[in-house]
Amino acid sequence: MALPPKPIPVEDRFWPKVDRRGPDECWEWQAGTNRAGYGRLRVNGVAELAHRVAYKMLVGPIEGDLCVCHSCDNPPCCNPAHLWLGTRKDNNADMGRKGRAVVPGLTGERHPNVKYS
């Protein structure tokens, strides 16, 4: 009777899907993403966001319900130098400071970043 195949470690599946560049550049996820552009992969049968997996592998555990935020504002980025832990409130405040927050009433054609009407 043959043994089941040995699982491939997360690190061995993860890094071939990341375009690792210089220490200050974005390391973009090259595989599947969600609608918002964040990388996705399965870890122990659970879908996880790639930047969170990168943070756990290279920085350490993520306590509680903390967010892994991007200083670069680039969803597929997995460079730990661009990632920081914060609460949802911290993440929303960061979005607001950078002008990326959704303002009620400024949706569709009324939004200043609209590309067409």
Side-chain angles (χ1 to χ4, degrees), residues 68-112:
V68 177
C69 308
H70 288 85
S71 60
C72 60
D73 297 329
N74 184 8
C77 181
C78 294
N79 183 344
H82 294 185
L83 304 175
W84 54 279
L85 290 180
T87 63
R88 289 198 185 278
K89 184 177 179 180
D90 296 332
N91 196 26
N92 289 334
D94 181 58
M95 288 190 312
R97 279 191 303 277
K98 294 174 179 175
R100 293 184 299 102
V102 175
V103 178
L106 287 182
T107 58
E109 293 178 347
R110 292 182 300 250
H111 194 280

Side-chain angles (χ1 to χ4, degrees), residues 5-25:
K6 187 176 179 181
I8 301 169
V10 174
E11 295 85 358
D12 293 347
R13 291 186 300 115
F14 184 86
W15 292 115
K17 296 174 180 153
V18 177
D19 181 12
R20 289 174 84 170
R21 296 175 174 247
D24 296 326
E25 295 180 76

Side-chain angles (χ1 to χ4, degrees), residues 14-59:
F14 184 86
W15 292 115
K17 296 174 180 153
V18 177
D19 181 12
R20 289 174 84 170
R21 296 175 174 247
D24 296 326
E25 295 180 76
C26 287
W27 299 356
E28 291 193 352
W29 179 254
Q30 302 295 301
T33 61
N34 65 15
R35 287 183 182 168
Y38 293 94
R40 294 181 350 161
L41 76 154
R42 289 203 166 273
V43 178
N44 298 323
V46 177
E48 293 211 35
L49 296 174
H51 67 289
R52 291 180 65 85
V53 174
Y55 189 94
K56 290 178 198 176
M57 286 191 298
L58 297 174
V59 180

